[in-house]
Amino acid sequence: MPISTVAYIEFPGTAAEAMKFYQSVFGGELEVMDYTGLDTSDFPVQPGPDTVAHASLTGGALELRAGDSLSEDPPGASSEVYSMMILTDTQEEARDLIDKFTAAGGSVELPYEPAPWGDTYGQVRDQFGVMWQVDTPGPES
């Protein structure tokens, strides 16, 4: 099997909601597994009944894995040191994606406009705190 890399996000109890949202935006097949029926007796913290053990989104425009944090005081998913980059073929696709994020409670962090390197680029933070960079190669038309 060739090596592949897939992003994984640990959410503070919002993994199921986040992954359903990402599926609505990017399509694909979503599988979500909670801890029901799993032996968690050796875990330092007992997961709640709806805690996501593992979620997988595949087959759409995004491949992503996620789960809920088991720490007693989990950090949020918001960060200034990582982001997800979306490359679109057209500016219409990019604006549509940004609109989907903001309509669901996200915020534009950097307006989508011509960038110094010749692309059209912007940033949006979703309602879960994840930063998405949106880039369309080439000059604005």
Side-chain angles (χ1 to χ4, degrees):
M1 178 175 152
I3 295 173
S4 63
T5 303
V6 177
Y8 185 97
I9 301 174
E10 186 172 280
F11 289 94
T14 57
E17 181 185 356
M19 294 298 279
K20 287 176 187 171
F21 173 69
Y22 298 149
Q23 181 186 33
S24 76
V25 172
F26 298 105
E29 297 295 321
L30 177 61
E31 293 181 28
V32 178
M33 181 177 76
D34 62 24
Y35 285 94
T36 303
L38 299 178
D39 180 11
T40 60
S41 59
D42 291 339
F43 286 20
V45 176
Q46 288 302 301
D50 296 327
T51 302
V52 173
H54 182 73
S56 177
L57 181 60
T58 60
L62 172 69
E63 186 153 333
L64 181 65
R65 307 292 188 272
D68 284 321
S69 174
L70 292 183
S71 94
E72 289 185 28
D73 188 23
S78 183
S79 176
E80 299 302 318
V81 297
Y82 79 89
S83 61
M84 306 291 279
M85 180 167 266
I86 304 168
L87 303 174
T88 64
D89 288 331
T90 68
Q91 293 172 20
E92 182 179 347
E93 289 173 324
R95 288 186 180 94
D96 182 52
L97 285 168
I98 292 168
D99 288 347
K100 286 178 182 179
F101 281 109
T102 57
S107 61
V108 172
E109 300 291 309
L110 184 67
Y112 179 74
E113 56 190 33
W117 58 89
D119 294 353
T120 306
Y121 173 85
Q123 297 176 350
V124 61
R125 187 175 302 277
D126 70 25
Q127 68 270 34
F128 306 102
V130 177
M131 177 71 79
W132 297 84
Q133 299 182 51
V134 182
D135 187 90
T136 308
E140 185 169 0
S141 53

